[in-house]
Each structure stands twice: as C-alpha cells, then as structure tokens.
Amino acid sequence: MKMFRLTGKYLWLFLGPTLTIITIFFIIPVFLTLLISFTDMDYAFEWNWIGLENYIRMLEDQWLPKILNNTFFYVFVTLTCFNVGMALVISILTTHINEYVGSAFRAIWLLPRITPSTVYALLWLWASREDAMSLFNWILGFFGMPPINWRLHQPWLLVILVNGFVGVSFGMIIFTAALKSIPNDFLWAAQVDGASTFQVIRHVELPLIKWPILFVLAYQTLSLLTSYEYILLVTDGGPGFFTTEVWALRSYHLAFAQYGGRVYFGYGAALSTILVVIGLIMSILYLKLFRFRELIIEPKIEVQ
C-alpha cells in the first residue's frame, strides 16, 4: 500500500491548530518564564531587570544540591517502581488473563486517578497516621512491630507511594492499548515455533511496544520533574529542612508561599528555567537511548 504524503498548504492546514496550541500554551510561557528570571519581580509585577543575579544566587544557595538530589531520587524511584515499571507489569499480566478479569483489575487502578487530589491525600494521611489503629500501623501490628509516625520516619516512602499509585494508570492505559494492537499473527507464529509465554513477552511484545515505552518514559519524567501537588499536600517538603522538597516545590514556595508576604517571582522563574533545561536534556537522552531515528524510519518494503 502506497503511503499518502501531505505537502504544501494541506500540511500546514493539519499542523496549524496543533502548532498554535503549542505556541500559546508551551513556547510563550517558557519564554516569559525566562524573561522573568532576569528580574526581581514580586506582586508589584514590575520588570526590574537584574541580569544574572538570580542564577548567581542559585549557585550560592546551600540547599539546592540537596533539593536537586531529592528531585532525581523522587523521579527515578517513582518512574522505576510505578509509572513505568508497575504500569508495564500490570498491562502485560492483565492482557494475558481472562479479558473481563483483566479489565476489572485495570479499572480498579484508575480509582486514584479519578479521586480529587485533596481527598486522595487525606486518605493516605488517615491510613499512615501515628495511631496504632491506622491502616499501616495495624498491618505492622501483625508482625509484632510498634506503631510509627510514617510522615516523620518514612516521608519518602509515603511521597512515592502517594504519587506512584496515581501515576500507574497513565502508563497502564497506553501499554495495554499498545499490547492489544499487536497483530495476532506475530503471537501465533511465536507459539507455533514453541515459544513460552515469557519468551513471547520478552522477544515479541516488548520489542514491538518500544515506541509507547519511550513516550510514557519521557512524558512521565517531565511530569514528575514539574509535579509537586501531592508532596505539598502530604509533607509540604518536610519534615525538617527540605527532607522531601523537590525542585518544582521549591520554586512554588519561593514564588507563592513565602512567610510575611515576601515573594520571589524572579528567583522562582530562574529555578523553573533550569527545570525546563533538565527536562530537555532528559528527553534527548531518552531519544538516544531508544534509538528514535530507527523507530520512525519508514519500512523498506511496500505492500501493494
């Protein structure tokens, strides 16, 4: 079948709406954030240009190395254990069992996603409170362990669980759709050749969904880098000094939540600009790692 190519005005007709939305909601905000980072803007919204002072201040901030480490730790562990890792495992398992059971199991994993953020965070705080009869401590009791204050003693475990159970659903939907779109001919051919279920997954299914894996990995990395909603609700960056503070949350605290009404839009924008740069670098690394050029290359054989 010969491929149909869009050229000239038809190409721009189809790309125009998407490019307009990207320009208005992504490129212009990034450009404005970059400009604000060269000012000392506050609630007066005056463009007082101070050059690179915010970036020099960033280099002198003693807490930023710790916050940067927190950010990479939070993104890496949440991605590996939940947003990509568990999403992939759930998708593979539920597409290899009875269709109705698999669909019901996946529907349960959507509950955290459709629950309002504050309600969801409150449920976790209720389950992890210090009370001996809280859910987490009640489970510890079966093993003869004393109750603990999970927010105080295991804040990272709590933060990653809260974010991870929400993040699984996105990857699960994408991976499940990708697995179901694999032509049965590939699976039947592997089974005729004597491949076990594990070998079919390892040598047929996973290679054929490399593109969705790349998409989810890149999208969720950018999402986790810039997300702080549940960390704000559960620990607010604590306990103590910046124990669970991530880069995006630090930017929010500086720009909107300083004590005494003093805010630093300019410094917060400088932090956000660095976050954009980190996101771009990570995206390029993923494209290299997954050999993006090979994924989008046109097939050499055309079927008439």
Side-chain angles (χ1 to χ4, degrees):
M1 183 174 65
K2 193 170 183 178
M3 294 187 66
F4 177 72
R5 293 175 182 278
L6 287 173
T7 57
K9 62 181 181 182
Y10 295 105
L11 177 65
W12 291 109
L13 181 65
F14 279 90
L15 290 180
T18 302
L19 291 176
T20 302
I21 291 173
I22 290 175
T23 302
I24 294 174
F25 292 103
F26 293 93
I27 296 178
I28 291 178
V30 168
F31 183 66
L32 285 175
T33 301
L34 179 63
L35 289 180
I36 295 173
S37 72
F38 296 120
T39 72
D40 63 353
M41 184 180 290
D42 55 18
Y43 276 130
F45 294 104
E46 294 177 353
W47 294 79
N48 299 319
W49 302 99
I50 58 173
L52 296 174
E53 279 189 28
N54 285 323
Y55 293 93
I56 296 172
R57 177 184 173 186
M58 203 182 300
L59 294 174
E60 297 171 349
D61 191 333
Q62 62 174 325
W63 294 109
L64 278 190
K66 176 180 176 58
I67 293 169
L68 185 61
N69 286 333
N70 285 348
T71 305
F72 285 131
F73 173 77
Y74 161 67
V75 172
F76 176 77
V77 175
T78 310
L79 270 180
T80 307
C81 297
F82 289 96
N83 292 23
V84 175
M86 186 173 287
L88 194 56
V89 170
I90 291 174
S91 302
I92 291 173
L93 291 178
T94 56
T95 51
H96 281 269
I97 60 177
N98 179 275
E99 175 65 24
Y100 295 108
V101 176
S103 298
F105 191 75
R106 288 194 297 273
I108 293 172
W109 277 91
L110 291 175
L111 291 176
R113 176 70 68 178
I114 62 176
T115 305
S117 303
T118 49
V119 175
Y120 177 70
L122 280 174
L123 286 173
W124 276 94
L125 292 175
W126 170 81
S128 61
R129 68 189 192 280
E130 191 173 8
D131 191 322
M133 294 308 295
S134 69
L135 179 61
F136 285 11
N137 287 329
W138 178 69
I139 295 173
L140 284 184
F142 282 103
F143 300 96
M145 301 174 70
I148 65 172
N149 186 329
W150 290 86
R151 286 181 65 196
L152 184 63
H153 298 291
Q154 298 292 339
W156 272 119
L157 176 62
L158 196 57
V159 164
I160 290 169
L161 287 175
V162 171
N163 282 278
F165 275 79
V166 173
V168 164
S169 57
F170 179 82
M172 179 187 71
I173 292 172
I174 301 294
F175 294 147
T176 301
L179 288 168
K180 285 180 176 290
S181 69
I182 296 175
N184 286 328
D185 295 349
F186 290 94
L187 307 178
W188 292 337
Q191 290 169 350
V192 168
D193 288 340
S196 64
T197 301
F198 177 78
Q199 288 171 325
V200 169
I201 294 171
R202 169 70 179 83
H203 298 291
V204 178
E205 293 184 338
L206 288 179
L208 288 175
I209 63 169
K210 279 181 67 176
W211 172 257
I213 292 175
L214 167 62
F215 168 71
V216 172
L217 187 61
Y219 182 90
Q220 292 288 33
T221 298
L222 299 179
S223 175
L224 288 170
L225 278 173
T226 56
S227 68
Y228 58 84
E229 178 184 8
Y230 293 109
I231 303 177
L232 176 69
L233 292 171
V234 174
T235 65
D236 196 19
F241 284 101
F242 308 112
T243 303
T244 57
E245 185 100 343
V246 294
W247 200 275
L249 182 59
R250 179 63 173 159
S251 177
Y252 165 79
H253 279 149
L254 286 167
F256 300 106
Q258 284 292 294
Y259 291 108
R262 178 66 174 165
V263 296
Y264 303 94
F265 286 172
Y267 191 36
L271 288 174
S272 298
T273 302
I274 297 300
L275 206 54
V276 172
V277 174
I278 293 173
L280 287 174
I281 294 172
M282 295 293 290
S283 299
I284 293 171
L285 286 176
Y286 288 148
L287 294 181
K288 293 287 185 184
L289 181 66
F290 279 78
R291 299 178 180 175
F292 180 68
R293 287 184 180 277
E294 294 180 13
L295 288 177
I296 62 173
I297 195 170
E298 293 183 5
K300 296 179 180 178
I301 301 176
E302 287 189 358
V303 179
Q304 298 293 337

